[in-house]
Amino acid sequence: MLRRLFQLVAVACPIGVFVLALEPVQQLMYGGHGTQGILLLVGALALLAVAEGLLFRCWILPSWSEKLAERLYAGSYLPEEDTLARLIDCIEREKNAALIPELERLVQQQRWRLRGWLELARLQQELLHDATSALASLEKATRYIKDPEDAALLLFRAAQLCEKSLHDEAACRQRLQRAVDAHPDTVYGRRAAARLS
C-alpha cells in the first residue's frame, strides 16, 4: 500500500511542477510576450511528457504488470508449490543432470504444459549436451500441445536446434515448413515463412 502511495506521489510531482510553470506562462501571455509564453508552455509540456514517460516506463508499469500477471495467470499459484518449477530450479541450481530422467517423467505426466517440454529440451541440450534428445522432446511435444501459437513455437525451436546444434539444414527447413503449413497465421508460423523465403 505504501509503495502504491509513493508511486502516486512520484507521478504527481512532475504534474505539480508543470502547474507551477503555468503561472509564468500566463504572465508572459498577458504581458504581451505571447511567443515566449508559448515556448515556455511547450518546453514545460515536453519536460512533463519525458518525466512521466520515464516514470511509467521504467518503474510503475513493470511493477503493475507483475501484479497483473500474478492475478490473471497465477491465481493462487505459487512457484514453490509447483513440482515442475521446483524440479527445474533444483536441476539448474545444482547442475544435476541425474535428475533429468525424473523431469522427463514429470513432463510426461503434465504433457499439456508447454513450459515442461521447453525446459526439458533446454536442459537436455545444456546439461547432457544431447541435441538429439532435445530435438526428440520438442518433436514429441508437438503431439500433445494443441495451442497453434505454442505448437508453432515448438517447431520453430526444433528448426533452430537442427540448424545450430545438429548442423542439419535440410531438417531445419523441414520443421520450418511444417510450422508454415500447420500454423501459417501464428507469430512463429510467419517467422518460419520469413526464414524460408
Side-chain angles (χ1 to χ4, degrees), residues 76-95:
S76 60
Y77 166 83
L78 294 171
E80 57 271 15
E81 294 174 0
D82 184 348
T83 310
L84 180 70
R86 278 200 331 263
L87 182 56
I88 291 166
D89 183 55
C90 179
I91 293 170
E92 287 184 320
R93 192 175 57 252
E94 298 173 7
K95 304 293 184 211

Side-chain angles (χ1 to χ4, degrees), residues 7 51 74 77 81 105 108-109 115 149 156 188:
Q7 286 179 335
Y77 166 83
E81 294 174 0
R105 283 191 296 277
Q108 279 292 336
Q109 291 168 4
R115 180 187 178 187
E149 291 286 349
F156 193 83
Y188 283 95

Side-chain angles (χ1 to χ4, degrees), residues 78-146:
L78 294 171
E80 57 271 15
E81 294 174 0
D82 184 348
T83 310
L84 180 70
R86 278 200 331 263
L87 182 56
I88 291 166
D89 183 55
C90 179
I91 293 170
E92 287 184 320
R93 192 175 57 252
E94 298 173 7
K95 304 293 184 211
N96 189 350
L99 291 174
I100 290 182
E102 185 180 338
L103 177 61
E104 287 182 60
R105 283 191 296 277
L106 188 56
V107 168
Q108 279 292 336
Q109 291 168 4
Q110 301 177 9
R111 58 181 63 126
W112 64 90
R113 293 184 68 179
L114 175 69
R115 180 187 178 187
W117 292 108
L118 292 174
E119 293 290 355
L120 174 60
R122 181 178 65 81
L123 290 169
Q124 285 171 324
Q125 192 170 10
E126 289 178 5
L127 290 183
L128 299 179
H129 307 289
D130 187 352
T132 305
S133 292
L135 179 62
S137 293
L138 292 172
E139 288 285 343
K140 197 172 195 180
T142 61
R143 298 200 298 265
Y144 301 113
I145 301 298
K146 300 304 178 194

